[in-house]
Amino acid sequence: MTADPFLWSSLQRPYPIIQAPMVGVSTPQLAAAVSNAGGLGSIGIGASSVAQAREMINATRALTSEPFNVNLFCHRTPTPDPQREADWLQYLRPWFEQFNAEPPNNLSVPYISFNDDPALLALLLQEQPAVVSFHFGLPPTDWIAQLKANGIVTLGCATCVDEARQIEAAGVDMIVAQGNEAGGHRGTFEPQHCDAQLPIETLLKQLLTQCQCPVIAAGGIMTGEDIQAQLQAGAVAVQLGTAFILCPESSASTAHRQALGLNPSIQTGITAAISGRPARGILNSAYTELTRPEAPPLPDYPIAYQAGKALAAAASRAGSVDFAAHWAGSGAPRARAMPAAQLVATLAHEAGLSPD
Ligand SMILES: Cc1cc2nc3c(=O)[nH]c(=O)nc-3n(C[C@H](O)[C@H](O)[C@H](O)COP(=O)(O)O)c2cc1C
């Protein structure tokens, strides 16, 4: 497969800056503001029903006529295991009790993988957003071919060379290289296999030598200087998540904003204990207390997420932000609070991309 060097240019974006899809944080307002400002905005429909996804796409379209990206979760179909789930809930019981709460009686699958949702494929083929991106793996190859045949540019997230090769072999147009610095869930295809956790600089170099597809760099990119470094290293574009959390157009909670905005020495870490898949967020007891040697095996993603969210809700009812899933990358101390259009303009200016 040969790279199409004009693929990114075909999107006609003045700036090679993608606002990362962030389920729970990105909104149609944020995506539209970024696309209107010359970047590529993204909405995340990984945890949405078909009706919710249609609503988000329409809401974005109502705010911009520019291209935007629609992001999907392509995780392996979870296997419900009542015993494993009961053991996990029992293990979590003392932390629930700390907040005078009880764990839920059982867990279920809160949302399904795109790969199990042909109705969502039908919606995308009908709506034809300019870009569709995949996280946690890939959909069936013929679905990718159908999306592309409808003029949709496709992106797949890779955390290592092996995943990038699978993305290329499946015919996906561009690779999002997700460095270890990245906030949110690791895009690893099979989380039980080792995650190389490569810094973006190393991963980008490896993918550029081993792959033909254009590569987009993601992870810890917070300023124009960071953007310039990735573009100079050979990335066709950059994808930033954490940098956009404090924008007023995001739906980040007040607690998430406060955790990010008030602490210059903020620390992030990676744990699977919140959702069942490794993800990077602002350190709290979910990272430091839940992963004990005696912990039973985690339920599959996203079944475990129900327990993580229930624990965070119990803490919140008791007035604590402990155990919250405040996803953020290691660049978190450098997050800036400003409207999305101003942030895109600032990043472009700092990176020497804008004419002024
Ligand atoms: C709050 C948050 C939520 C995220 N949710 C998603 C998501 O729904 N889909 C996805 O593909 N990536 C998601 N990511 C990961 C981003 O795509 C990207 O890899 C990451 O933001 C890049 O690192 P940075 O946060 O340091 O900029 C999320 C990241 C954050 C910070």
Side-chain angles (χ1 to χ4, degrees):
M1 188 150 319
T2 48
D4 176 355
F6 303 111
L7 204 55
W8 172 262
S9 340
S10 74
L11 293 169
Q12 299 195 316
R13 300 291 72 218
Y15 306 129
I17 299 172
I18 304 176
Q19 163 254 314
M22 295 180 278
V23 165
V25 169
S26 56
T27 59
Q29 290 73 19
L30 180 62
V34 171
S35 287
N36 287 337
L40 182 73
S42 305
I43 52 171
I45 59 167
S48 301
S49 66
V50 174
Q52 290 166 331
R54 180 182 288 113
E55 214 172 287
M56 281 185 84
I57 292 171
N58 287 341
T60 312
R61 283 235 163 95
L63 297 169
T64 185
S65 51
E66 300 295 328
F68 60 89
N69 167 37
V70 176
N71 176 255
L72 302 151
F73 292 164
C74 300
H75 51 280
R76 189 168 29 84
T77 308
T79 308
D81 181 338
Q83 188 57 56
R84 189 150 48 111
E85 289 144 22
D87 290 347
W88 181 247
L89 288 171
Q90 191 54 31
Y91 171 69
L92 293 183
R93 178 171 286 280
W95 288 286
F96 275 93
E97 286 175 349
Q98 181 185 318
F99 302 113
N100 293 320
E102 288 275 312
N105 290 331
N106 47 45
L107 299 173
S108 57
V109 180
Y111 48 83
I112 62 172
S113 170
F114 173 53
N115 300 0
D116 296 325
D117 202 352
L120 197 48
L121 173 68
L123 174 77
L124 294 169
L125 295 175
Q126 190 188 4
E127 294 294 337
Q128 299 181 1
V131 183
V132 158
S133 65
F134 311 118
H135 206 54
F136 300 144
L138 291 167
T141 312
D142 67 303
W143 290 20
I144 296 167
Q146 287 182 58
L147 291 166
K148 289 177 65 177
N150 278 269
I152 298 168
V153 172
T154 51
L155 316 180
C157 177
T159 62
C160 61
V161 170
D162 179 50
E163 289 168 356
R165 288 207 177 110
Q166 292 182 55
I167 290 170
E168 272 195 326
V172 171
D173 295 308
M174 292 188 261
I175 300 167
V176 178
Q178 191 190 39
N180 189 42
E181 303 87 343
H185 281 93
R186 306 284 303 142
T188 34
F189 287 15
E190 293 295 339
Q192 71 277 27
H193 295 166
C194 167
D195 174 0
Q197 298 196 355
L198 298 172
I200 185 55
E201 201 187 335
T202 312
L203 180 62
L204 180 64
K205 254 187 217 149
Q206 290 189 1
L207 299 198
L208 289 171
T209 14
Q210 303 287 325
C211 303
Q212 306 291 315
C213 278
V215 182
I216 295 158
I221 303 167
M222 303 298 290
T223 63
E225 202 179 25
D226 297 345
I227 292 173
Q228 203 182 39
Q230 298 304 326
L231 297 178
Q232 273 171 5
V236 72
V238 290
Q239 178 163 305
L240 288 68
T242 304
F244 285 94
I245 295 177
L246 292 177
C247 292
E249 296 92 340
S250 94
S251 55
S253 66
T254 307
H256 198 169
R257 286 176 198 275
Q258 284 177 347
L260 201 59
L262 289 183
N263 183 357
S265 59
I266 192 170
Q267 284 196 331
T268 64
I270 295 180
T271 187
I274 294 176
S275 74
R277 265 183 169 269
R280 182 179 289 280
I282 298 170
L283 282 186
N284 61 30
S285 301
Y287 296 78
T288 54
E289 285 193 38
L290 296 187
T291 45
R292 294 186 176 170
E294 71 271 22
L298 270 161
D300 277 3
Y301 171 91
I303 299 172
Y305 215 167
Q306 276 201 324
K309 284 182 177 169
L311 181 53
S316 171
R317 280 193 299 275
S320 166
V321 293
D322 219 2
F323 296 99
H326 288 154
W327 305 136
S330 58
R334 297 186 293 141
R336 295 176 278 191
M338 62 176 89
Q342 192 186 336
L343 180 56
V344 172
T346 304
L347 291 167
H349 176 73
E350 290 170 346
L353 298 166
S354 52
D356 54 334

